[in-house]
Amino acid sequence: MSEISVVPINVIDHQVLTRLALCLEERFLATCIVRASLPVPKSALNSVRKQLFFGSLATKLAGAHESGEGAVLGITEFDLYKTSHHFIFGGSSESHHTAVVSLHRLRPEFYGEPADENQLFQRLLKESVHEIGQAMGLKHCYNARCPMYYSNSVFDTDNKFSNFCEACEKRSRAIDRK
């Protein structure tokens, strides 16, 4: 992968995105660029669920940004869902090399805890690595400490490291050489 585009959906703190981009460059050994925001109106939300359907956002993101040899990562405040899930922390499309991560359920405040910017950032980083990995073609891992492990809850996310386990690291390098 040569480049990762980080695209804020509406307004996301630019300092957080810059910090995320630096960490993703280190993890993926790719240039990471923070792009202009992609506007998505609240009217796009499912009016009953008050959530945004991942597929709609992924399509809009892929249409607005060409992934080329890299990946596109959208960051949103919207609560996301898929047809088969009540909610998701993020999602990806391998065919479009796009990924999206939602901050909504990664925030400690969502669980009645005090705001913690560092904890939020660590969760964002782990989920971003996971979703970019999926967009690259990596599958879920059975190692609960690997970012490619599927998070059923935010506790699973907190338990992970932000670097791939040895097996997923090898798989990611093999994918990169294709």
Side-chain angles (χ1 to χ4, degrees), residues 57-129:
L57 185 54
T59 300
K60 187 170 178 77
L61 186 62
H65 292 275
E66 188 65 38
S67 62
E69 293 294 313
V72 178
L73 172 67
I75 307 294
T76 184
E77 289 284 355
F78 289 123
D79 192 14
L80 300 175
Y81 76 99
K82 286 183 176 177
T83 307
S84 57
H85 296 77
H86 292 293
F87 74 90
I88 55 173
F89 295 120
S92 61
S93 167
E94 186 178 346
S95 61
H96 292 106
H97 301 284
T98 58
V100 178
V101 174
S102 168
L103 295 168
H104 188 81
R105 291 174 190 258
L106 297 178
R107 291 186 178 285
E109 307 93 295
F110 183 83
Y111 304 95
E113 299 169 5
D116 183 333
E117 292 304 314
N118 188 54
Q119 185 177 46
L120 174 62
F121 181 80
Q122 291 303 316
R123 290 172 175 175
L124 171 62
L125 176 59
K126 294 169 190 180
E127 290 302 323
S128 296
V129 170

Side-chain angles (χ1 to χ4, degrees), residues 31-46:
T31 303
C32 197
I33 300 167
V34 177
R35 305 285 182 189
S37 72
L38 178 66
V40 175
K42 282 191 185 255
S43 61
L45 292 175
N46 177 308

Side-chain angles (χ1 to χ4, degrees), residues 24 27-28 89 122-134 138-152 156-169 172:
L24 293 175
R27 300 301 185 288
F28 291 99
F89 295 120
Q122 291 303 316
R123 290 172 175 175
L124 171 62
L125 176 59
K126 294 169 190 180
E127 290 302 323
S128 296
V129 170
H130 177 92
E131 296 306 341
I132 292 170
Q134 293 247 275
L138 290 177
K139 304 302 178 212
H140 287 138
C141 181
Y142 293 107
N143 180 342
R145 303 295 270 172
C146 178
M148 292 312 299
Y149 183 78
Y150 180 79
S151 290
N152 283 302
D156 290 331
T157 302
D158 288 342
N159 188 49
K160 296 181 196 183
F161 293 124
S162 60
N163 290 311
F164 293 132
C165 68
E166 193 175 325
C168 288
E169 183 67 33
S172 76

